[in-house]
Amino acid sequence: MTRGVRRRMGVDERRQQLIGVALDLFSRRSPADVSIDEIAAAAGISRPLVYHYFPGKQSLYEAALRRAADELAARFLEPLEGPLGERLLRVMGRFFDFVEEHGPGFSALMRGGPAAGSSTANAMIDGVRQAAYEQIIAHLGVAEPPARLELVVRSWVSLAESTALIWLDGRRVPRAELERQLVHDFAALAAVSAAYDQEMAGVVQRVLSQEPAEGPFGELLARLSALAPAVPAVFAQRLPH
């Protein structure tokens, strides 16, 4: 970030600079712990000048939140080419790039931060979730998603969000493993739904028919196959004799 620069900027340029400075500070610390004085110092301007462009810290925070939300939603954009498992793995890589880069800012975005409960914050968060949902549906190539597919995709988006928030608190699982596990979680959620619904079964069968054996979904099948021989024995031990 530019610090100590004192030059005349246009209104929009100065606003964008302040949003960038605020987002950088909010990304490294909880927004509640960042003061207007710090933002002004980082931008190389006076405190009153910050208030000239934003009526208060809340409005500046919401502007930074909007930029973060737009950037996060863009991380789910992926060309509709190649096996779905590899596409989702690239999406998860970019998603966790954002999580790592913004840390406290990501937590604030998903939890609402100082704007928790406000209609503006809620709308931005819902917008990110909706963008992610629409992108995954597009990757599945389903024009009119059935109810069970919508449930699977929205549940998975929520799972990715909550997993990232938990991971930030200690990072006890290697990031690369977690990204792959989330892709496997998507396949597992879809497979369980397919066991209950013929339409979902058709979607899952179509996706799997296009997956290479060495891809993320193929790897999951191999892991489950290795686990399968032990499953009947476990259940047999629990049956009454």
Side-chain angles (χ1 to χ4, degrees), residues 7 10 12 18 44 46 51 70 88 109 129 139 147 153 163 174 182 229:
R7 67 179 181 84
D12 187 62
L18 285 170
S46 66
Y51 285 110
D70 291 343
L88 292 180
L109 171 63
R129 291 167 179 156
H139 284 292
V153 176
T163 297
L182 279 166

Side-chain angles (χ1 to χ4, degrees), residues 30-87:
S30 170
D33 296 332
V34 177
S35 69
I36 287 292
D37 287 333
E38 288 179 88
I39 294 170
I45 61 176
S46 66
R47 175 190 175 97
L49 194 54
V50 175
Y51 285 110
H52 176 74
Y53 293 98
F54 294 94
K57 177 179 169 181
Q58 181 70 20
S59 62
L60 179 52
Y61 172 73
E62 289 183 357
L65 203 61
R66 163 52 61 197
R67 182 180 291 186
D70 291 343
E71 184 181 340
L72 180 55
R75 301 294 175 108
F76 284 87
L77 295 173
E78 172 71 23
L80 304 180
E81 302 170 356
L84 178 63
E86 293 293 346
R87 286 184 247 163

Side-chain angles (χ1 to χ4, degrees), residues 12-33:
D12 187 62
E13 185 182 7
R14 179 66 79 184
R15 282 179 59 85
Q16 293 306 312
Q17 182 216 19
L18 285 170
I19 291 170
V21 166
L23 183 57
D24 177 60
L25 291 171
F26 294 153
S27 294
R28 291 185 276 113
R29 288 159 52 208
S30 170
D33 296 332

Side-chain angles (χ1 to χ4, degrees), residues 79-122:
L80 304 180
E81 302 170 356
L84 178 63
E86 293 293 346
R87 286 184 247 163
L88 292 180
L89 194 57
R90 288 192 292 271
V91 167
M92 285 296 95
R94 290 194 299 273
F95 174 69
F96 273 90
D97 282 345
F98 182 94
V99 171
E100 278 208 303
E101 289 164 11
H102 294 284
F106 172 79
S107 297
L109 171 63
M110 292 295 107
R111 292 174 173 144
S118 77
S119 58
T120 300
N122 289 340

Side-chain angles (χ1 to χ4, degrees), residues 61-227:
Y61 172 73
E62 289 183 357
L65 203 61
R66 163 52 61 197
R67 182 180 291 186
D70 291 343
E71 184 181 340
L72 180 55
R75 301 294 175 108
F76 284 87
L77 295 173
E78 172 71 23
L80 304 180
E81 302 170 356
L84 178 63
E86 293 293 346
R87 286 184 247 163
L88 292 180
L89 194 57
R90 288 192 292 271
V91 167
M92 285 296 95
R94 290 194 299 273
F95 174 69
F96 273 90
D97 282 345
F98 182 94
V99 171
E100 278 208 303
E101 289 164 11
H102 294 284
F106 172 79
S107 297
L109 171 63
M110 292 295 107
R111 292 174 173 144
S118 77
S119 58
T120 300
N122 289 340
M124 283 188 277
I125 295 166
D126 287 343
V128 171
R129 291 167 179 156
Q130 182 63 22
Y133 166 78
E134 291 173 359
Q135 280 299 309
I136 302 305
I137 290 297
H139 284 292
L140 291 167
V142 180
E144 297 183 7
R148 287 183 186 273
L149 180 57
E150 180 176 355
L151 182 62
V152 164
V153 176
R154 292 195 186 280
S155 296
W156 183 71
V157 170
S158 178
L159 176 63
E161 172 190 320
S162 58
T163 297
L165 286 170
I166 295 169
W167 178 77
L168 278 172
D169 185 17
R171 309 188 185 198
R172 291 175 292 174
V173 177
R175 174 184 149 176
E177 290 182 17
L178 205 56
E179 291 170 8
R180 189 167 290 269
Q181 181 180 318
L182 279 166
V183 174
H184 290 170
D185 286 337
F186 178 84
L189 286 169
V192 170
S193 183
Y196 286 85
D197 182 79
Q198 191 59 41
E199 193 169 10
M200 274 298 299
V203 172
V204 171
Q205 288 169 348
R206 175 172 55 80
V207 168
L208 291 180
S209 70
Q210 301 168 357
E211 291 292 314
E214 67 276 9
F217 290 169
E219 178 191 352
L220 175 61
L221 290 173
R223 287 176 178 268
L224 292 176
S225 296
L227 179 65

